[in-house]
Amino acid sequence: MLDRRDILNNLADPETYPAEMLAYCLKNPDRSAAIFLPILGKAANGTELDALEKRSFYLGLHILAVLQIPNTFDGVYRLATQQPLLLADLLGEAGLGQTFSRVLMCLSRGKATDLWQGFQNNTLDFMIRDAFLRAWTYEALMGRVNAVAAERRLRGFLKSEAAPLPDDQIWSGWLIAIADLGYSELMPLARDAVSSGRILAEDDNLAAREFDGFETALTEAQSNTDLPEFLKARGYIPFGEGEGDWGDCFVNSPQSQKPL
């Protein structure tokens, strides 16, 4: 059994892609869980991580997600909703924007309600809320959220008293979710929201472009006959199922982006 510190050191090295160590961790889920779940738990509880734990966190989290280790979602959810600044620091902008939603997709089965609540949390950064929304949309696309209930949630989000302000960036994600799910019945609602300035109010030209893109995406979704290809084209791919995921993950990891 490899030593915990050797595993963390190997994953934290910013210079060398840890192919052999990643393979070891993925082949030994119990060992990975014993090492990375406690680190995730410390972060989620707001306990300070040591320097080695911080540098290995990014790859460690992705290992937990791909292995679908029990309790990983709960830890990730607490970290994202209770320690969002720490999450942003541990994942970096690239990780938060490119793979956090895909990490959630690995862990999202049966978690649609939690994902929706995370999306609705207006105290969180747009990138975190958008990741929750994309993972929720993935659940709906996979048929694990009732279509009637999903349409009702998206409609109700706009009309809720707690809905975000017109210039909140999350409205772009809201339009994307409606389009990707092919909910043409929400087209008039979305059109009125854009034309009235209820959403995307900061820039008329941007609003027009966003809505044009929304209409195109909605039409494409409605004509889709191959769900796997559609999911791939729209980026609804759980982490680890895409080509080059681990190499990209290493390149985007904070320790590879910042000097030590």
Side-chain angles (χ1 to χ4, degrees), residues 239-256:
F239 183 83
E241 296 182 12
E243 294 182 10
D245 276 356
W246 286 108
D248 292 341
C249 187
F250 174 71
V251 171
N252 290 329
S253 63
Q255 78 262 22
S256 297

Side-chain angles (χ1 to χ4, degrees), residues 16-231:
T16 306
Y17 175 63
E20 293 184 4
M21 191 59 71
L22 285 171
Y24 172 83
C25 290
L26 293 172
K27 289 178 181 177
N28 294 274
D30 290 343
R31 183 67 175 140
S32 296
I35 293 173
F36 300 115
L37 265 184
I39 296 174
L40 173 60
K42 285 175 64 176
N45 292 331
T47 303
E48 185 173 358
L49 305 182
D50 65 36
L52 185 57
E53 290 172 335
K54 285 182 179 178
R55 294 200 306 274
S56 60
F57 181 91
Y58 188 88
L59 289 176
L61 175 63
H62 288 73
I63 289 169
L64 290 175
V66 168
L67 293 174
Q68 298 184 33
I69 300 295
N71 300 319
T72 298
F73 180 86
D74 293 341
V76 171
Y77 189 81
R78 283 191 293 119
L79 176 58
T81 56
Q82 298 179 26
Q83 311 291 336
L85 295 180
L86 178 57
L87 174 71
D89 183 57
L90 290 171
L91 297 190
E93 185 173 346
L96 199 58
Q98 295 183 28
T99 60
F100 182 53
S101 64
R102 298 177 63 204
V103 163
L104 291 173
M105 289 175 202
C106 290
L107 308 165
S108 62
R109 181 182 289 269
K111 300 295 185 180
T113 298
D114 296 307
L115 294 168
W116 185 264
Q117 289 176 348
F119 158 60
Q120 286 186 298
N121 189 338
N122 291 336
T123 68
L124 302 178
D125 181 80
F126 155 75
M127 295 177 73
I128 297 176
R129 286 181 288 150
D130 191 61
F132 279 125
L133 177 58
R134 283 191 62 78
W136 177 85
T137 305
Y138 173 73
E139 286 297 284
L141 285 165
M142 294 299 290
R144 295 194 285 260
V145 177
N146 177 274
V148 174
E151 185 271 342
R152 187 179 297 128
R153 280 197 181 276
L154 289 165
R155 182 187 299 273
F157 181 74
L158 176 68
K159 297 182 176 182
S160 168
E161 292 182 1
L165 295 173
D167 60 352
D168 196 306
Q169 295 180 72
I170 202 62
W171 291 117
S172 295
W174 180 76
L175 286 175
I176 289 170
I178 293 171
D180 287 349
L181 289 167
Y183 290 166
S184 58
E185 61 271 29
L186 294 182
M187 170 76 83
L189 181 74
R191 180 184 292 111
D192 290 346
V194 174
S195 62
S196 67
R198 174 63 188 86
I199 68 173
L200 304 178
E202 70 277 10
D203 185 324
D204 288 341
N205 291 329
L206 173 63
R209 290 197 303 273
E210 290 272 344
F211 193 76
D212 286 345
F214 162 72
E215 289 185 305
T216 299
L218 180 59
T219 300
E220 292 174 351
Q222 289 178 305
S223 62
N224 165 63
T225 57
D226 187 333
L227 181 60
E229 284 300 316
F230 178 80
L231 293 174

